[in-house]
Amino acid sequence: MDYLTTAANVAAILTAISAAAAWVYYIVGQQSKRRKLESYLRSEKSKGADKGQRTVLHLMVRVGLTEDEILQASFRSRHIKRLIATDPKTNRAEAILLAYDEGG
């Protein structure tokens, strides 16, 4: 019976440690994706060819993140500004544009 108690205690400790490690891995991954997106948008804006606004589809191809990851990273960032491109004929939203904003 003593072995079962010890095994249960060890299992509880290992579960807590693995949960904490998984949480840290998740947070680090989220920050990495945000920094990757910010870095790309900052470099595009610094080129000066245009305002540095890019569509989500463009970012998916260039940065290598999914649409969901890009949108989540943009909402977590203080430096990424979300804009809407409208169709001139219908005046309806056509695309989401993301741009780097120094002011944050």
Side-chain angles (χ1 to χ4, degrees), residues 1-53:
M1 204 51 104
D2 213 15
Y3 294 116
L4 288 178
T5 304
T6 304
N9 290 338
V10 169
I13 291 169
L14 291 177
T15 300
I17 290 171
S18 64
W23 178 76
V24 168
Y25 180 77
Y26 174 78
I27 295 299
V28 168
Q30 296 297 316
Q31 289 177 349
S32 172
K33 291 171 187 173
R34 179 185 50 83
R35 277 189 244 116
K36 188 176 183 180
L37 182 60
E38 285 177 351
S39 174
Y40 180 77
L41 288 171
R42 185 183 317 115
S43 71
E44 288 297 301
K45 187 173 184 175
S46 69
K47 289 179 184 176
D50 54 15
K51 296 179 184 177
Q53 300 172 349

